[in-house]
Amino acid sequence: MAVVVHTNPLFWTRVLALIFSCVAFSVAVHGGDLRQGTGDWCIFCWAFSFAGSLLILLVELFGLQSRAPVSWKNFPITFACYAFLLCLSASIIFPLYFLKGGPSYGETHKLRIVSTVFSCLATVMYLIEVGISKARPGELAGYMATAPGLLKVCETFVACVIFVFISDPVAYDKDPLKYCLSVYCICFILSAVIILLCVGECTGCLPFPFARFLSAYALLAVALYLSATIIWPIYNFDPKHQGQKTRPSRCGSEFGLCAWDKRMAVAVLTAVNFLLYLADLIYSARLVFVSV
C-alpha cells in the first residue's frame, strides 16, 4: 500500500497539533502529579485530540479516504473543531487548578507549565486547521465545513458543559427549571443527530428536504433557548421566585465552584448558546450548500 505525503499547510498543521497534544498529556502524566478529577478531564482532552489526529493522518497517508465509513468532507473538520474546543477548555482549566495558588517551584510545577504551554499551542494548531478546512464562499463542501456546521459543533459542546454544571438534579425541583433542562436536552440531541447524519452521509435518507429541516430546527432552537435564557436566571436569582441574588459568602471557602457559581455559569452558557443558535438560524436561512 503506497504512502502519500501531502506537503501542504493542512498536513503540517495536523502534524504539529498531533505533536503538541501528545507532549501536553505525556508530560502531565509523567510528572504533573494530577490527583483531581479535573486533571483526568484535561488528560482526556489532550489524549482524545492526539488519537483523532493520528487516525486522520494515517487515513490520509495511506489514501484510505474512500474506504472510510464516514464522509471525509465532514469528519476531519468536525473532529478538528471538537479538538479545538477540548484543548481550549484544558488550556483554561489546567492552569486554574494546577498552577494558580500552588507553589511556583519544583519539578512538578515546571512540568505543569510545559503541559499548559503545549496545550495552548495545540489549541492554536486546531484553530488554524479549522480555518484552513472551512468552506470558502462559493466553494462546494460538506455541511460541517460551513459556518452552520461548525456552529452545530459549538452548540453541542456548550450543551455538554451545561450538563456538567447541572449534574445535581436535586437542586432543580422547580417546574420552570425542569423545562430549561428539557430545552438543553432536546436541542443537544437534535444537534448531535444532525452532526451524525452529516458525518455518516445519511442526510439523503430523510423523508423530507434536509435544508428545510435545518432551518426549521434552527428557528425552534432559537425560540427554546430564548425562553430558557429568560427563565433560568429568574428562577435561580430572583428572590421573588425563591432565588438567591447575591453570591453566598461560603462560596469563597469552597474548593472549585459552589452551587451558586454553577447556576451562574449555566445562565451565561445558556445565553451563549442562544447567540450561537441565532447565528445558526441566520446562516441557515442564507446558505446554499451541496449535500454529500
Side-chain angles (χ1 to χ4, degrees), residues 229-288:
T229 303
I230 297 172
I231 293 173
W232 182 269
I234 290 177
Y235 284 89
N236 276 293
F237 306 115
D238 189 351
K240 296 180 181 179
H241 296 88
Q242 301 178 344
Q244 191 166 4
K245 185 177 181 180
T246 58
R247 187 173 186 259
S249 57
R250 65 177 182 275
C251 289
S253 58
E254 293 184 16
F255 178 79
L257 298 177
C258 66
W260 191 93
D261 291 336
K262 292 179 180 179
R263 295 182 183 188
M264 178 58 72
V266 172
V268 173
L269 292 172
T270 302
V272 170
N273 239 6
F274 165 69
L275 295 176
L276 290 174
Y277 277 108
L278 181 61
D280 191 353
L281 174 62
I282 295 173
Y283 274 110
S284 297
R286 298 172 54 189
L287 183 66
V288 176

Side-chain angles (χ1 to χ4, degrees), residues 62-185:
F62 290 101
L64 301 175
Q65 297 93 323
S66 60
R67 300 182 183 180
V70 295
S71 168
W72 209 249
K73 291 183 179 180
N74 288 308
F75 176 74
I77 189 170
T78 302
F79 168 79
C81 192
Y82 274 120
F84 161 69
L85 293 171
L86 288 171
C87 288
L88 177 63
S89 67
S91 300
I92 297 173
I93 294 172
F94 189 79
L96 287 177
Y97 277 83
F98 297 100
L99 289 179
K100 183 181 178 182
S104 57
Y105 56 87
E107 188 70 17
T108 298
H109 182 76
K110 294 179 181 178
L111 292 176
R112 289 176 176 178
I113 292 177
V114 171
S115 290
T116 302
V117 170
F118 278 91
S119 178
C120 294
L121 291 174
T123 302
V124 173
M125 289 300 105
Y126 283 116
L127 180 60
I128 293 175
E129 180 180 347
V130 172
I132 294 175
S133 304
K134 184 178 180 297
R136 302 296 184 271
E139 179 182 357
L140 296 180
Y143 175 75
M144 297 308 300
T146 64
L150 296 175
L151 286 171
K152 291 290 188 304
V153 174
C154 296
E155 291 157 7
T156 54
F157 183 83
V158 172
C160 288
V161 178
I162 290 177
F163 293 147
V164 172
F165 287 134
I166 59 176
S167 57
D168 182 12
V170 179
Y172 313 111
D173 53 355
K174 303 174 185 177
D175 289 338
L177 297 182
K178 291 180 181 179
Y179 165 78
C180 293
L181 299 185
S182 66
V183 168
Y184 304 143
C185 293

Side-chain angles (χ1 to χ4, degrees), residues 188-216:
F188 169 78
I189 292 172
L190 290 177
S191 293
V193 167
I194 290 173
I195 293 174
L196 291 175
L197 287 174
C198 292
V199 173
E201 294 187 304
C202 300
T203 57
C205 301
L206 297 176
F208 42 77
F210 187 56
R212 293 184 181 179
F213 168 70
L214 291 174
S215 299

